[in-house]
Amino acid sequence: MKGYRKGLTNYGDPAFSAFIRGAYARGFGLTGEDLDRPIVGIAQTWSELNPCHRNLREVADAVKRGVTQAGGLPLEFPTISLGEVYLSPTAMLYRNLLAMDTEEMVRGQPLDGVVLLGGCDKTLPAQLMGAASAGVPAIAVSSGPMIGGRFEGKRLGACSDCRGLWAEHRAGEISEARLEELQGELFPSAGHCMVMGTASTMACLTEALGMMLPGLAAVPAVNSRRLRLAEESGRRIVRMVEESLTPAKVMTRGAFENAIRVLMAVGGSTNAVVHLAAIAGRLGVELPLALFDEISRTTPLIGNIRPSGKTYLMDDLAEAGGIPVVMKELEALLRRDALTVTGKTVGENLAGVTRAPAWQDVVLPRERPLQPEGGLAILWGSLAPEGAVLKTSAASPRLMVHTGKAVVFASQEDMVRRVDDPDLPATAESVFVLQNAGPVGGPGFPEAGFLPIPKKLLSQGVRDIVRVSDARMSGTAGGTTVLHVSPEAAVGGPLALVREGDLIRLDAPGRRLDLLVPEEELARRRAAWRPQAPAYDRGYGRLFLEHVLQAPQGCDFDFLQKAR
Ligand code: FES
């Protein structure tokens, strides 16, 4: 059954249910002719509490034009929206809630296909998770990146510069008044953050996965090409309904391998490791951390985009040809047979694409990469038996192999309280550890892993330190920051056993992270360890704490993953 007769409300009489639904549809101004068409839902995450989605109403209008042109009936509906900087304690706590909202509303309403409108960090991953589980044909259209800001001749990239400028302010280099001036220039247009942070990364990977039209991810939010591609997405979803081209046919193991390949090539966000695992988990596709590392080792970093690259932003990537050009450079390494929302394979989509143009250096030719390997490394060792993630492309080369004494913060509150204490036993060689900031401990897996450099070190000119935590980090941040240490401290992982002064060894090339403490001593500490009191005893927070999986499984809820 298709269209408005699909999935009838249960009143005990299906014929009556169809009659009454038709009556209400007419009450909305629709006609019998409208109701004979396939219904395409437009999952709308526009919200005044999400500036990154400011343009999504206009994008929805463009999608509707396309759906109507192709003979479908577009019906826009709201889901919750997750504005990264407006949600407390962290938007990540609510990613699974948006995924559930999307899944249930796509399944529960009479939709033959759905267009997913997202953009800010957690939204596209959540929508892909939901659509994967709902199982109807789906295509994603993102809000698009902002254009770059400008200040005194310098281009500003939000939010990499937000962090850099804040560190300079803490170091006393930037006055309060100047910081306020800069604050007004960091976000100059509609759209999501325009560096290769999590939002840009996830848009690029949605395209690489085959769930978004080729070339769309990098186009700035304010560029009219985005509206034309949104309209084309509207036409395409109607064809996808006819072809029964469901997310499971697009997001195959091969498609995920392509997405991981692109993640490594563009120096994308560490958060993508978590999100891809969660999306794959909805389809029963296994993505072990070892696969990320394996692909990273065989993928050249060719995306010269901040924060991994030096200068460029997403609008520069769009001008250079966007993700299709990145994928063309990687073509020999890709699964070319993976099907995409175009109805064609990756190989067919790339047939008309040319390699990185010589006039630019945003996308580098694969023979002349920024670095020969990808931007992320997976670490294992006595401190991270189930893995940890390090963004090598944004880290300091001198700290890639480093042993230092631990400075330990037991929680985020402890860190805020003590980090600028002049008596903190910290030197430039210390390893800064944050405990209890993971999925359960955070709670909600906050982006707290980019520990601030203590003021006393800032004043000595120190601009990077080794950080180790079970937290995440914003994709716009950089530094030598080991993240997602698993299992997390709050569930009794070895991170919980670290004490001030312990030696920790990071060996990025060797993929190791070790706590250099004798096993007998660790056994003593383990026996004395007690879990902290749960942060929530009711509602969604309690559901989250009771069912969230660890980082390598994508932090989805255990009952939402597809049985493998
Ligand atoms: Fe929305 Fe950065 S805050 S993408």
Side-chain angles (χ1 to χ4, degrees), residues 170-244:
R170 277 173 50 78
E173 303 287 330
I174 295 181
S175 70
E176 203 68 59
R178 195 170 157 77
L179 194 71
E180 204 175 302
E181 257 187 274
L182 281 156
Q183 196 180 33
E185 303 302 327
L186 283 162
F187 299 95
S189 78
H192 58 70
C193 294
M194 72 300 246
V195 294
M196 191 55 82
T198 305
S200 298
T201 300
M202 289 314 300
C204 293
L205 302 195
T206 302
E207 187 179 319
L209 264 174
M211 289 296 290
M212 183 187 278
L213 286 184
L216 180 58
V219 176
V222 293
N223 189 315
S224 59
R225 188 146 45 103
R226 177 158 291 277
L227 297 179
R228 294 194 292 276
L229 284 165
E231 189 180 297
E232 194 180 328
S233 302
R235 286 191 292 272
R236 186 59 209 144
I237 187 68
V238 178
R239 301 281 96 85
M240 287 173 65
V241 170
E242 290 162 7
E243 295 160 9
S244 298

Side-chain angles (χ1 to χ4, degrees), residues 144-361:
M146 282 179 264
I147 53 171
R150 290 198 172 273
F151 191 77
E152 296 176 351
K154 185 177 178 287
R155 287 186 89 198
L156 294 177
C159 222
S160 298
D161 279 317
C162 316
R163 293 167 206 286
L165 293 168
W166 185 250
E168 294 303 322
H169 174 61
R170 277 173 50 78
E173 303 287 330
I174 295 181
S175 70
E176 203 68 59
R178 195 170 157 77
L179 194 71
E180 204 175 302
E181 257 187 274
L182 281 156
Q183 196 180 33
E185 303 302 327
L186 283 162
F187 299 95
S189 78
H192 58 70
C193 294
M194 72 300 246
V195 294
M196 191 55 82
T198 305
S200 298
T201 300
M202 289 314 300
C204 293
L205 302 195
T206 302
E207 187 179 319
L209 264 174
M211 289 296 290
M212 183 187 278
L213 286 184
L216 180 58
V219 176
V222 293
N223 189 315
S224 59
R225 188 146 45 103
R226 177 158 291 277
L227 297 179
R228 294 194 292 276
L229 284 165
E231 189 180 297
E232 194 180 328
S233 302
R235 286 191 292 272
R236 186 59 209 144
I237 187 68
V238 178
R239 301 281 96 85
M240 287 173 65
V241 170
E242 290 162 7
E243 295 160 9
S244 298
L245 186 50
T246 57
K249 292 178 186 167
V250 175
M251 292 193 280
T252 56
R253 164 74 185 225
F256 281 105
E257 288 180 19
N258 289 342
I260 298 172
R261 190 73 73 185
V262 169
L263 168 66
M264 302 307 169
V266 299
S269 164
T270 48
N271 290 318
V273 178
V274 178
H275 295 318
L276 286 176
I279 301 162
R282 294 301 186 98
L283 295 162
V285 175
E286 198 96 45
L287 291 187
L289 284 179
L291 179 68
F292 286 85
D293 199 64
E294 191 186 308
I295 293 179
S296 186
R297 285 177 187 272
T298 55
T299 306
L301 175 67
I302 56 172
N304 190 9
I305 305 147
R306 296 180 67 192
S308 295
K310 285 205 174 58
T311 324
Y312 296 113
L313 303 174
M314 288 299 283
D315 51 0
D316 300 303
L317 175 62
E319 193 184 356
I323 291 302
V325 168
V326 172
M327 292 180 78
K328 190 70 182 177
E329 287 299 322
L330 303 174
E331 192 168 9
L333 300 169
L334 294 177
R335 293 282 297 268
R336 299 174 73 255
D337 58 343
L339 196 56
T340 73
V341 289
T342 62
K344 297 179 185 154
T345 63
V346 166
E348 288 167 336
N349 289 343
L350 290 177
V353 178
T354 49
R355 289 193 57 191
W359 55 261
Q360 55 81 52
D361 60 350

Side-chain angles (χ1 to χ4, degrees), residues 131-146:
S133 296
V136 306
I139 190 169
V141 180
S142 56
S143 60
M146 282 179 264

Side-chain angles (χ1 to χ4, degrees), residues 99-115:
M100 291 171 80
D101 183 355
T102 305
E103 174 184 347
E104 298 305 334
M105 288 303 99
V106 171
R107 188 191 290 114
Q109 300 178 120
L111 306 181
D112 299 309
V114 64
V115 182

Side-chain angles (χ1 to χ4, degrees), residues 50-53 82-85 119-121 146 158-159 187 191-194 198-200 474 476:
N50 193 343
C52 305
H53 293 194
L82 306 178
E84 187 63 27
V85 297
C120 194
D121 292 13
M146 282 179 264
C159 222
F187 299 95
H192 58 70
C193 294
M194 72 300 246
T198 305
S200 298
S474 164
T476 59

Side-chain angles (χ1 to χ4, degrees), residues 411-482:
S411 65
Q412 294 165 82
E413 297 71 34
D414 182 35
M415 180 180 75
V416 171
R417 205 167 40 241
R418 293 197 298 127
V419 70
D420 289 330
D421 183 342
D423 295 330
L424 190 76
T427 71
E429 305 309 310
S430 301
V431 173
F432 293 80
V433 174
L434 173 63
Q435 300 166 322
N436 296 307
V440 173
F445 212 7
E447 290 186 342
F450 186 64
L451 278 66
I453 300 171
K455 272 187 179 160
K456 74 174 188 183
L457 298 186
L458 281 170
S459 63
Q460 294 164 19
V462 176
R463 290 295 182 269
D464 194 17
I465 50 177
V466 176
R467 308 161 175 91
V468 176
S469 77
D470 46 11
R472 292 181 305 115
M473 170 177 83
S474 164
T476 59
T480 309
T481 310
V482 179

